Amino acid sequence: MFRVARGLNQKLFTFHRKPLSLSPAMAKKARVSDFSSGSPTQQRVVGTHNGSFHCDEALGCFMIRLTDKFSAAEVVRTRDPQVLETLDAVLDVGGVYDPSRERYDHHQKGFEEVFGHGFKTKLSSAGLIYKHYGLEIIAKELQLDEGHPDVHRLFLAIYKSFMEAIDAVDNGINQFDTEQPPRYVNNTHLSSRVGRLNLDWMDLDQSPEKENEAFQRAMALAGSEFLDSLRFHAKSWLPARSIVLECLAARQDIDPSGEIMVLDRFCPWKLHLFELEEEMNIDPLIKYVLYQDDRAKQWRVQAMAVSPDKFESRKPLPSPWRGLRDDELSKEAGIPGCVFIHMSGFIGGNQSYEGALAMAKAALKL
């Protein structure tokens, strides 16, 4: 589906040891022999800057080569404006953002472009490529039209969970609004790992060839993680969302309160439920979720947290039940088949679905 692998096996990079002193017309004429292994109609050329690289242009160059227009395009790394002017697309250099001309820089004064859809983080070159070509890339993976609702859902979900952090890091935007120093250092995120692929100052060979080899590794690293995220969302995230949506819609059939949801098939559900409650304006909110533990062949009753990043439950299971097990718990609750209740009241268990549902219904009233 993606033809990037073939492109990465081709000669990918060209570079200049010193700026070319060509007119734009001459540079255009020279481009085929100097920068490309094919004819102008067969292979386009994408430009970015040379020197130290970051995650955003490495990922941007990878993503743009997944599109039909720039499939297997050659990548030129230079800051020479005369050369950049001749290229089919330019990322992260040149001081221009103009998608009609395939120019995607974000460093110029006055640039404040954001992804939209409620996101307010200023875009990097990777974010710009994703904004303009993300739907096409996702549609190819799903084998759907770009206008399909599932393509749009993944477009937003991948930006939220993967792309936005790359934009923020490259633009120097802190994750938290606080003056307090972080409690620990995190140098394991993608932007940091890509940065470590730059040539070390102790390396004896600092040639443009070695620099471009390092950039190719950076493209491969950033691109592989982007594809991993895309395929996870397509193969796991989206099916799970559909299951949670169906179960949420059936909540009134479980209990008239509408505050108990039953997962008829287990899947990752917590984040989906938070998002769907907000999207669907669910009121009252879900208090308990029931699902079967296939390993123990028992049913679980889990209290919903107040938010995705909090341990506090909206309505913990009753205090008198907490810490009890088996017969002692069944006697206290007046419900047969009880297995346990966690000391915090966030989860409990019963031998049967009927028992777990009885526990959830009783907990709503206590």
Side-chain angles (χ1 to χ4, degrees), residues 31-232:
R31 176 170 60 86
V32 175
S33 59
D34 286 350
F35 309 147
S36 175
S37 59
S39 70
T41 58
Q42 292 176 332
Q43 186 177 41
R44 295 179 183 268
V45 184
V46 174
T48 190
H49 61 82
N50 56 357
S52 295
F53 52 78
H54 300 101
C55 185
D56 71 313
E57 73 265 24
L59 179 57
C61 287
F62 182 93
M63 288 193 298
I64 200 170
R65 298 175 78 245
L66 298 178
T67 67
D68 288 339
K69 185 174 182 179
F70 293 99
S71 176
E74 188 176 4
V75 175
V76 172
R77 301 185 70 235
T78 181
R79 293 185 183 273
D80 188 321
Q82 290 185 320
V83 175
L84 293 172
E85 182 64 28
T86 70
L87 305 183
D88 299 296
V90 176
L91 284 65
D92 209 47
V93 68
V96 176
Y97 168 52
D98 183 356
S100 68
R101 296 170 50 213
E102 305 290 356
R103 266 40 185 178
Y104 302 103
D105 198 8
H106 67 110
H107 297 99
Q108 59 274 20
K109 184 177 180 179
F111 178 89
E112 296 293 340
E113 190 75 10
V114 298
F115 185 64
H117 309 284
F119 295 96
K120 299 179 181 179
T121 300
K122 187 166 75 170
L123 297 179
S124 67
S125 60
L128 288 171
I129 296 301
Y130 186 79
K131 179 172 183 173
H132 291 283
Y133 286 107
L135 287 172
E136 177 189 341
I137 294 169
I138 293 167
K140 284 183 178 182
E141 178 68 17
L142 297 184
Q143 298 183 340
L144 296 172
D145 294 332
E146 289 185 30
H148 194 282
D150 285 347
V151 173
H152 184 71
R153 288 191 185 100
L154 262 63
F155 184 54
L156 300 183
I158 293 170
Y159 185 79
K160 180 178 180 179
S161 67
F162 184 85
M163 293 298 307
E164 187 176 20
I166 294 168
D167 288 337
V169 169
D170 195 77
N171 284 301
I173 301 171
N174 290 327
Q175 189 173 9
F176 301 102
D177 293 325
T178 177
E179 298 299 323
Q180 296 296 319
R183 293 185 177 182
Y184 56 87
V185 174
N186 178 12
N187 287 324
T188 61
H189 55 77
L190 179 58
S191 294
S192 179
R193 285 182 283 122
V194 167
R196 286 198 294 273
L197 294 176
N198 279 285
L199 298 183
D200 190 276
W201 71 279
M202 291 290 288
D203 291 339
L204 296 178
D205 187 351
Q206 297 282 328
S207 66
E209 292 91 344
K210 293 295 290 185
E211 185 181 284
N212 287 335
E213 289 174 7
F215 186 73
Q216 185 168 359
R217 291 194 295 272
M219 281 181 58
L221 173 60
S224 67
E225 295 210 10
F226 170 75
L227 292 180
D228 284 346
S229 178
L230 171 53
R231 287 161 183 165
F232 162 77

Side-chain angles (χ1 to χ4, degrees), residues 3 8-9 51 66 107 138 161 203 209 239 242 250 272 330 344 346:
R3 290 178 285 175
L8 286 175
N9 288 331
L66 298 178
H107 297 99
I138 293 167
S161 67
D203 291 339
E209 292 91 344
S242 298
H272 290 296
S330 294
S344 68
F346 91 97

